[in-house]
């Protein structure tokens, strides 16, 4: 009974949307801007998750809490040292890289060859530990260090500067990661490990070391996402859950291990959330996101940009 | 990243995706739970009835009636850790302070000066802990009366256990209508306004306040949290506002933990109603106010109900200047009573911090109700206390509401959630005039 209702809602929403397109309703530009801004942040949030999976075949369920750790790193530095949250961004990246390496060495590497269930349990365990630590040190209360940066105007539509900066950070981070993976020796080693771990061993690549660096980079990207989010959004210790869920949907949508897939997947999910939130009743947009997720698993299990591994 | 020819990887990835769907769905469930920001006059909804854990029918440990009682135990089933920990701690502290005040004044006179003891245990804000914690308070700590539990699902479970044990449970804070309504409980009472009452108070007071100041409130838009709690508030508003000649032009839902509320803010801006009403927890409130600024829109009347957004000073500070002028409604201390000043001063002295959580008014009042019931009953037997609660009228309490009297279903007949306004980043009661700390500013 639920599916026909949802389909009916979607048909009505599409009809209303088409009407707005025909009448060139200015709200479309506003929604498009918000979809781009949110999609960019989602893509950044998913980047580290897809990278770790691409190299190590480990689904890191601590990823959401690593994003939160990035948020609270910026919060801590900003409130104790008194520096601008933007200036605290590199500190969050370095801190989370270090945390990622520690997690990799102490928790992930020992069970890298263990059954997948062990990896889920371990990474979920790390997530719970991080959640408890954040609550102990910072309390569960919501926090906000949102910067009052103002807005740009574009044909009457508002572009919040904080979100625009976060989108810029996301794009720069993705570009930098791509350059790093494609143009550096270490990046080549990481790609080689992702392609064939056993082969990488045979050609002399220190695979465990690559794993540690990969988890470090993935965590640093999560930290960067968290640091970028606090510029424009309030946060609490539990917000990581929703980012983890969205990130997982995005990496499956885009293709597990695919960096371009994470970007495109982020934009798609952002667009569904924004346009769906506007045109669909209630919170049907959330259902649409998960329907898309399940449908894609059935129809194209490799995702939009993923490649089938024989 | 390119492919290899490792068959193990292929099957492993399929497996990982399949597991991932399950775990993600599970996490999605987590993100859509009825959490709470721990700051407002609201809690998670309580429409899912709990079974009170695995506790069997515990037996009350009530002492025989008479004047030989030395100690009466009030058990507090509060969230002292986790997401709701900050609020739970403040509530427990308020309960401890109230017992301290009662004891300083000589204890329970009709019981020969028996002292009150306030014993608090941690339910962690989780439904599965509600029953067992209630059981421990009754059986191990010998509670004659229990209070709590803040989160409605927890309270549902806890009251079930108290009912079986025959021990009165006086709810300080838990908003869901379903806790008392339709369950036929004989040992459960509630001081605060339930969800429908809180939204009903808003629908009555806000238009009244606006019109008394020649401000138009003929239309409204609503953004509400999409869970049973938020939906029940929204439904009450949808039926109660038209009765006050306020037309609801637009209502939008958001999910718990939603990353951005810019879309909802865009809808609110498009509706451009006289009043915007926000329903949800503190985190959502902060995010909503940020999103309204993102779309460069301030509603003529910025308001909320069943939310800490405009009533909790910690949340107000997080929002910043944009919150100034915002209206909300919640239970609160009556600042026109002398005892309120003493409560705040003593709280600061005893616990080393300001009393900034409005829930504390309800827990403190529970202790005053217990004190009155004990004096009236002249007995510490839970059965006697329970019978007295059904007929008692408690005037001596610090909450901004008339005397507390319980109806047949356990609800406080005179529960009230007065209107607040944020003035200079502080939530102040402005309506009804009887409880006002300040005049409303438009």
């Amino acid at each position: 009974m639920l599916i026909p209702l949802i389909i009916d809602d979607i048909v009505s929403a599409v009809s209303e949307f088409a009407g707005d397109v025909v009448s060139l309703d200015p709200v479309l530009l506003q929604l498009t801007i918000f979809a781009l801004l949110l999609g960019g942040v989602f893509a950044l949030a998913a980047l580290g998750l897809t990278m770790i999976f691409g190299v190590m075949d480990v689904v890191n369920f601590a990823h959401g809490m690593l994003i939160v750790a990035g948020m609270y790193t910026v919060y801590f530095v900003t409130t104790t040292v008194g520096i601008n949250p933007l200036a605290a961004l590199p500190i969050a990246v370095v801190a989370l890289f270090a945390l990622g390496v520690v997690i990799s060495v102490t928790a992930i590497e020992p069970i890298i060859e263990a059954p997948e269930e062990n990896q889920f349990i371990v990474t979920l365990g790390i997530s719970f530990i991080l959640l408890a630590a954040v609550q102990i040190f910072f309390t569960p209360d919501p926090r906000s260090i949102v910067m009052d940066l103002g807005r740009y105007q574009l044909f009457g539509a508002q572009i919040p500067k904080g979100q625009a900066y976060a989108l810029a950070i996301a794009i720069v981070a993705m570009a930098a990661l791509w350059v790093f993976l494609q143009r550096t020796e270490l990046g080549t080693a990481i790609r080689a490990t992702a392609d064939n771990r056993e082969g990488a061993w045979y050609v002399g690549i220190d695979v465990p070391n690559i794993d540690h660096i990969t988890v470090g980079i993935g965590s640093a990207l999560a930290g960067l996402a968290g640091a970028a989010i606090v510029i424009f959004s309030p946060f609490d210790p539990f917000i990581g859950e929703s980012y983890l869920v969205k990130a997982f949907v995005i990496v499956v949508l885009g293709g597990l291990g695919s960096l371009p897939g994470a970007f495109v997947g982020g934009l798609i999910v952002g667009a569904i959330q924004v346009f769906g939130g506007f045109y669909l009743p209630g919170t049907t947009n959330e259902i649409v996101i998960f329907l898309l997720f399940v449908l894609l698993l059935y129809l194209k299990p490799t995702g939009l940009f993923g490649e089938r591994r024989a | 990243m390119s492919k290899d020819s490792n068959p193990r990887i292929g099957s492993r990835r399929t497996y990982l995706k399949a597991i991932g769907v399950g775990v993600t769905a599970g996490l999605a469930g987590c993100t859509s739970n009825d959490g709470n920001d721990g700051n407002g006059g609201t809690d998670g909804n309580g429409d899912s009835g709990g079974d009170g854990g695995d506790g069997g029918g515990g037996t009350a440990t009530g002492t025989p009636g008479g004047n030989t009682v030395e100690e009466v135990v009030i058990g507090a089933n509060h969230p002292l850790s986790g997401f709701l920990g900050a609020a739970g701690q403040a509530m427990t502290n308020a309960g401890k302070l109230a017992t301290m005040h009662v004891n300083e004044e000589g204890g329970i006179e009709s019981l020969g000066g028996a002292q009150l003891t306030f014993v608090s245990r941690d339910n962690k804000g989780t439904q599965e802990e509600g029953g067992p914690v209630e059981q421990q308070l009754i059986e191990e700590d010998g509670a004659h009366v229990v209070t709590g539990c803040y989160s409605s699902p927890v309270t549902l479970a806890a009251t079930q256990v108290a009912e079986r044990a025959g021990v009165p449970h006086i709810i300080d804070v838990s908003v869901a209508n379903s806790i008392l309504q339709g369950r036929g409980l004989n040992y459960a009472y509630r001081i605060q306004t339930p969800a429908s009452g809180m939204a009903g108070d808003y629908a009555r007071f806000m238009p009244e306040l606006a019109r008394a100041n020649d401000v138009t409130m003929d239309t409204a838009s609503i953004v509400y949290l999409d869970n049973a709690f938020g939906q029940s508030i929204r439904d009450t508003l949808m039926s109660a506002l038209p009765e006050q000649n306020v037309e609801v032009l637009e209502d939008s839902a958001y999910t718990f933990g939603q990353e951005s509320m810019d879309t909802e803010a865009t809808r609110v801006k498009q509706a451009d109603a006289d009043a915007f009403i926000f329903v949800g927890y503190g985190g959502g409130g902060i995010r909503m106010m940020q999103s309204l600024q993102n779309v460069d829109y301030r509603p003529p009347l910025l308001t909320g109900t069943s939310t800490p957004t405009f009533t909790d000073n910690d949340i107000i500070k997080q929002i910043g200047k944009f919150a100034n002028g915002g209206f909300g409604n919640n239970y609160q201390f009556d600042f026109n009573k002398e005892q309120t000043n003493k409560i705040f001063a003593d709280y600061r002295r005893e616990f080393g911090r300001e009393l900034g959580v409005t829930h504390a008014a309800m827990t403190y009042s529970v202790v005053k109700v217990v004190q009155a019931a004990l004096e009236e009953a002249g007995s510490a037997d839970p059965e006697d206390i329970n019978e007295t609660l059904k007929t008692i009228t408690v005037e001596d309490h610090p909450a901004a509401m008339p005397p507390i009297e319980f109806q047949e279903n356990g609800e406080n007949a005179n529960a009230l959630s007065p209107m607040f306004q944020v003035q200079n980043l502080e939530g102040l009661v402005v309506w009804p005039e009887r409880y006002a700390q300040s005049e409303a500013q438009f």
Side-chain angles (χ1 to χ4, degrees), chain A:
Chain A
M1 286 304 289
L2 181 67
I3 300 293
L5 282 173
I6 294 169
I7 290 170
D8 191 44
D9 284 340
I10 292 171
V11 169
S12 301
V14 169
S15 163
E16 194 184 340
F17 172 71
D20 284 348
V21 170
V22 169
S23 64
L24 289 176
D25 193 316
V27 80
L28 289 174
L29 177 60
Q30 184 65 79
L31 294 175
T32 304
I33 288 165
F34 283 145
L36 278 170
L37 295 172
L38 188 62
V41 170
F42 280 166
L44 182 59
L47 213 55
L49 186 69
T50 204
M51 184 172 174
I52 292 171
F53 186 88
V55 174
M56 299 163 67
D57 272 0
V58 170
V59 179
N60 179 17
F61 282 97
H63 188 75
M65 276 314 299
L66 290 169
I67 292 173
V68 170
M71 293 173 176
Y72 278 91
T73 303
V74 171
Y75 174 77
F76 177 74
V77 171
T78 304
T79 52
T80 53
V81 183
I83 62 170
N84 183 307
L86 281 168
L89 247 109
I91 298 169
V93 170
V94 172
L96 266 290
F97 178 87
L99 179 62
V101 171
V102 169
I103 287 170
S104 179
V105 171
T106 57
I108 295 178
E109 196 61 33
I111 48 101
I112 195 77
E113 295 300 331
E116 290 84 352
E117 305 89 286
N118 296 25
Q119 295 171 6
F120 294 133
I121 291 163
V122 166
T123 54
L124 271 175
I126 293 164
S127 179
F128 293 142
I129 291 166
L130 289 173
L131 177 63
V134 168
Q135 287 187 78
I136 289 164
F137 287 111
F138 298 101
T139 79
D141 296 344
R143 306 279 177 190
S144 178
I145 47 170
V146 171
M147 298 172 71
D148 188 13
L149 299 167
R151 294 171 297 276
Y152 299 110
Q153 299 263 354
L154 183 68
F155 303 116
Q158 310 293 324
I159 308 173
K161 286 184 181 177
Q163 281 164 269
Y165 290 176
L167 177 63
I169 289 163
I171 291 167
V172 168
M174 284 180 236
L177 183 64
W178 189 86
V179 169
F180 168 75
L181 290 172
Q182 299 294 327
R183 298 278 185 267
T184 68
E185 201 174 312
L186 183 56
T188 306
I190 289 172
R191 285 189 296 117
T193 307
D195 285 348
N196 189 326
R197 292 176 69 85
E198 209 173 330
W201 268 111
Y202 286 126
V203 297
I205 294 171
D206 184 349
V207 172
N209 206 32
I210 292 295
D211 286 346
H212 302 327
I213 291 166
T214 301
V215 177
I217 293 171
S219 302
L221 287 166
L224 181 64
I229 289 163
V230 299
I231 296 168
F232 67 87
S233 176
F235 57 97
D236 58 52
F238 310 94
I239 194 80
E241 283 178 2
S242 62
Y243 278 104
L244 172 64
V245 172
K246 290 281 170 21
F248 196 83
V249 170
I250 288 162
V251 298
V252 170
L253 193 63
L256 284 161
S258 165
L259 299 183
F263 185 66
V264 173
L267 292 180
I268 291 170
V269 171
I272 293 172
Q273 183 148 323
V274 169
F275 282 92
F278 191 83
Y279 288 103
L280 289 166
T283 50
T284 313
N285 58 331
E286 294 285 331
I287 299 173
V288 172
I289 288 169
F290 283 97
L291 275 177
L292 183 71
F293 175 68
V294 173
L295 268 175
L296 204 90
L297 279 173
Y298 277 112
L299 302 175
K300 197 174 187 304
T302 55
L304 297 174
F305 289 77
E307 294 167 316
R308 182 169 298 284
R309 301 194 176 204

Side-chain angles (χ1 to χ4, degrees), chain B residues 79-295:
Chain B
L80 304 177
S81 64
F83 190 27
L84 314 177
Q89 287 280 2
M91 290 160 76
T92 275
N93 288 346
K96 286 177 177 171
L97 188 68
T99 55
M100 194 182 84
H101 286 165
V102 171
N103 293 338
E104 280 173 356
E105 290 163 11
I108 308 300
E109 201 179 324
S110 70
L111 295 177
Q115 298 285 287
L116 294 184
T117 303
F118 196 86
V119 178
S120 188
R121 283 186 182 258
D122 185 9
N123 65 38
K124 300 183 179 70
T126 58
Q127 186 170 1
E128 57 271 23
E129 292 286 339
V133 166
E134 192 91 349
Q135 194 86 18
Q136 287 163 348
L137 287 165
I138 293 167
E139 292 190 348
E140 295 176 29
D141 302 320
H144 301 83
V145 181
V146 187
T147 188
C149 304
Y150 190 37
S151 171
S152 292
V154 182
T155 309
L156 274 158
T159 47
Q160 197 72 31
V161 172
E163 189 75 11
R164 284 201 298 261
V167 172
H169 183 115
I170 307 172
I171 297 162
D172 47 3
V173 175
S174 275
V175 78
N177 293 335
S178 57
I179 296 169
L180 293 187
Q181 295 165 23
R183 288 176 78 204
L185 298 177
N186 188 43
Y187 292 86
Y189 306 86
R190 170 161 43 198
I191 289 180
Q192 73 151 113
T193 37
S196 56
M198 202 171 276
D201 282 351
Y202 172 90
R204 186 159 51 103
F205 291 146
M206 192 62 226
E208 200 176 78
L209 173 60
R211 289 162 188 164
N213 287 274
D214 298 322
V215 174
T216 305
M217 187 175 163
D218 295 336
T219 57
S221 60
I222 303 169
V223 170
Y224 66 96
L225 178 62
D226 195 17
N227 63 10
F229 147 72
Q231 287 163 10
S232 69
I233 299 291
R234 176 252 183 206
D235 292 345
T236 303
L237 290 171
M238 294 296 272
S239 61
L241 284 169
E243 289 171 13
Q244 304 296 326
N245 299 313
V246 179
E247 182 191 358
V248 179
L249 300 180
E250 151 74 26
D251 64 297
S252 305
Y254 77 96
T255 54
F256 182 73
Q258 191 170 302
E259 302 83 356
S260 162
M261 294 172 75
D262 292 345
T263 308
E264 288 74 15
T266 305
R267 289 180 68 154
V268 170
K269 184 179 182 179
Q270 277 216 319
D272 196 23
D274 296 331
F276 164 63
I277 308 166
F278 177 75
V279 176
Y281 306 140
I286 299 169
R287 211 164 277 122
M288 186 71 224
M289 296 308 117
Q290 185 60 47
S291 289
L292 286 171
Q293 292 171 84
N294 286 347
V295 298

